[in-house]
Amino acid sequence: MRGEGGIVTASKKIQIVIVGGGAAGLELARKLGTRYGRKRHDIILIDRNRTHIWKPLLHEVATGSLDASMDEVGYRSHCHRWGYRYLYGTFDRIDRAARQVHMAPVIDEKGREVVSAHAVRYDYLVLAYGSVTNDFGTPGVADNCLFLDSRGQADSFRDQLLNHCLRVSRAMVLHPDSDVRVRIAIVGGGATGVELAAELYNAADALGYYGLEVFDRARLDVTLLEAGARILPALPEKLAGAAHGELEALGVKVLTGIAVTQATPDGMRSADGAFIPADLQIWAAGVKAAPISGGLDGLALARGGQIVVRPTLQSESDDRIFAIGDCAHCILPGGDRPVPPRAQAAHQMASTAFDNIKRLLAGRPLVAFTYRDHGSLVSLSRFSTVGSLMGKLVGGRMAVEGRLARFVYLSLYRMHLLAVHGWLNGLALIVVSHINRLARPRLKLH
């Protein structure tokens, strides 16, 4: 076993700790576990959740279009299958001198301590704890808005949405001439905000099958607020315009050039003095690195809190620490902007981190990360899909819409399943998911 300075020791296993079981962290844990197993290495994945759900699917979980219980990955069963260990808990801080990750105590819903605060040693550390929605300090947002950063938040949104729909349905039964509505305001015209707005109408159409016979999409009052000049700035203007038109055809009120300055219990105020009333308010405008309560022991950070990494994905401050996914700030040679926080970037970073950890253990030179932009796709639920493929790989973008775009969009999740479960298990899960779609209800209502 190679120890400090290349000295071979036999006292301890090489311990590689991964903090965060999102797309990047979970893929890396599977690859390292498969490659090294448990005989001479100890691969440890730390996450504060017990299950993994692919983050781009959270808007479907929030509306009930997707049953997360069917699509989530349980870390304990996954680690048993792929040769790594899983530790349940919240990452609190790093002690770089001692090479330790410190964990906060695990407290149950009654305030009892389940696991005390403790430390986990590492030889190499990979930080992959992801990002959270950035409210930019806007007054009232933290208290009055919902976010879609986790399954728990998506479940909370779904419960509140169903309650409001039930309230309106009951009011229509009692007073057929009433004009009651479910008013929803979504801040952020990026992929999350746009996809959620469209998915809400898919859910409204399905509610009639499940006991709310008098409720339909006409009772939805959805407003999408974007501070920029147009929605979906990552897409070409023509495709963004097509998505804008599709949303308005569904019934969404799309307001661009509107900066929200305050969220109140009853709605949102904009910089021009307008007030947008809302029963549900969702903030989906921008991301920042997830905050770490105890700090990162002097690691260089970008303005948004991301860890500054070199092209090898090693921290600028510590060769033994890598950062991948949304919590990494990586500006590649010749570039002026960091690699964007996208699922495809997380997947590619996991592959490079795996390669470089293998090289470190073998005493070989590391390779630089190369980001290949495969384009962007945005799903407007079952109504439409728009996007651009190949990014800059072929000197330009290929615009896609309709069935082809929808097929490619669905393929992204299938690729994630293959990366997390391997080819054989992944293909089996894809087949099972198709069968489940035929057998299970259109909406999850509990």
Side-chain angles (χ1 to χ4, degrees):
M1 182 177 300
R2 192 175 299 276
E4 188 70 32
I7 299 174
V8 176
T9 65
S11 58
K12 293 182 179 179
K13 294 181 179 181
I14 294 178
Q15 200 144 294
I16 304 171
V17 176
I18 304 165
V19 177
L26 187 58
E27 288 185 23
L28 179 59
R30 187 194 74 82
K31 289 182 176 182
L32 288 172
T34 303
R35 174 67 175 81
Y36 293 109
R38 299 177 178 178
K39 187 174 182 180
R40 294 188 177 90
H41 300 78
D42 195 8
I43 315 300
I44 300 173
L45 176 67
I46 296 171
D47 199 275
R48 61 184 177 183
N49 301 299
R50 290 187 170 91
T51 60
H52 161 84
I53 185 75
W54 199 45
K55 197 170 182 179
L57 294 178
L58 286 177
H59 69 283
E60 295 187 34
V61 177
T63 58
S65 300
L66 180 73
D67 185 349
S69 299
M70 304 291 291
D71 290 85
E72 66 188 353
V73 180
Y75 291 123
R76 292 204 181 280
S77 59
H78 191 266
C79 76
H80 176 74
R81 170 68 178 83
W82 295 108
Y84 66 91
R85 285 200 292 146
Y86 159 68
L87 296 181
Y88 171 62
T90 299
F91 168 50
D92 182 63
R93 65 184 178 91
I94 301 172
D95 183 341
R96 289 200 286 143
R99 290 188 200 147
Q100 291 181 337
V101 169
H102 285 259
M103 306 285 291
V106 176
I107 308 297
D108 68 13
E109 64 277 2
K110 293 185 178 181
R112 298 172 300 194
E113 185 175 86
V114 179
V115 180
S116 62
H118 61 285
V120 180
R121 76 168 183 91
Y122 67 83
D123 293 296
Y124 299 99
L125 174 63
V126 182
L127 299 174
Y129 50 78
S131 62
V132 294
T133 302
N134 191 353
D135 64 8
F136 304 101
T138 307
V141 171
D143 295 326
N144 299 302
C145 292
L146 298 165
F147 304 93
L148 292 181
D149 293 322
S150 66
R151 180 189 169 177
Q153 292 174 339
D155 287 342
S156 177
F157 175 88
R158 184 184 66 252
D159 290 343
Q160 294 185 51
L161 172 65
L162 291 172
N163 285 340
H164 281 292
C165 292
L166 180 60
R167 172 184 59 81
V168 168
S169 179
R170 181 60 179 167
M172 292 170 63
V173 170
L174 296 175
H175 307 286
D177 296 330
S178 65
D179 191 33
V180 289
R181 297 171 180 272
V182 179
R183 302 169 302 174
I184 303 173
I186 303 171
V187 179
T192 298
V194 169
E195 291 181 332
L196 176 62
E199 201 65 54
L200 286 167
Y201 285 87
N202 179 47
D205 288 343
L207 282 172
Y209 294 99
Y210 301 108
L212 301 186
E213 292 89 351
V214 296
F215 187 90
D216 59 33
R217 68 166 65 182
R219 295 294 167 168
L220 275 185
D221 188 358
V222 180
T223 303
L224 180 64
L225 304 159
E226 167 57 40
R230 64 181 177 91
I231 63 171
L232 300 175
L235 291 184
E237 188 170 354
K238 180 181 177 181
L239 290 175
H244 187 134
E246 190 74 39
L247 290 175
E248 289 189 330
L250 289 173
V252 180
K253 184 185 294 184
V254 182
L255 302 178
T256 57
I258 301 295
V260 173
T261 57
Q262 183 186 14
T264 74
D266 301 314
M268 295 178 166
R269 298 189 185 279
S270 63
D272 61 3
F275 183 76
I276 299 92
D279 303 306
L280 287 172
Q281 303 172 64
I282 302 91
W283 191 274
V287 297
K288 63 180 180 180
I292 305 303
S293 59
L296 295 171
D297 196 13
L299 292 183
L301 302 178
R303 185 171 61 179
Q306 296 91 347
I307 300 157
V308 179
V309 298
R310 287 169 275 168
T312 57
L313 302 181
Q314 292 168 296
S315 163
E316 195 175 73
S317 310
D318 195 319
D319 287 351
R320 289 181 175 269
I321 298 178
F322 291 77
I324 59 176
D326 290 2
C327 71
H329 180 88
C330 180
I331 298 180
L332 297 174
D336 56 356
R337 292 186 177 184
V339 175
R342 297 179 182 173
Q344 61 176 305
H347 169 71
Q348 294 174 37
M349 284 182 167
S351 295
T352 298
F354 172 62
D355 193 16
N356 278 342
I357 290 172
K358 287 194 304 180
R359 288 171 173 270
L360 270 177
L361 296 178
R364 296 163 54 200
L366 275 59
V367 298
F369 172 63
T370 301
Y371 176 57
R372 295 176 174 83
D373 182 2
H374 297 298
S376 301
L377 290 167
V378 176
S379 171
L380 305 181
S381 187
R382 61 184 172 84
F383 307 107
S384 181
T385 301
V386 299
S388 59
L389 299 180
M390 303 309 291
K392 299 177 181 178
L393 292 182
V394 291
R397 293 180 180 272
M398 179 177 69
V400 290
E401 297 182 61
R403 291 184 178 180
L404 174 60
R406 181 64 179 170
F407 173 79
V408 177
Y409 182 87
L410 294 174
S411 297
L412 297 177
Y413 179 52
R414 292 171 185 144
M415 290 173 61
H416 173 68
L417 289 177
L418 296 177
V420 167
H421 296 287
W423 280 95
L424 185 60
N425 287 2
L427 288 172
L429 286 171
I430 291 170
V431 173
V432 170
S433 69
H434 282 290
I435 297 173
N436 284 336
R437 286 184 182 276
L438 296 175
R440 65 191 183 194
R442 289 177 59 185
L443 285 183
K444 177 179 170 63
L445 300 175
H446 59 279

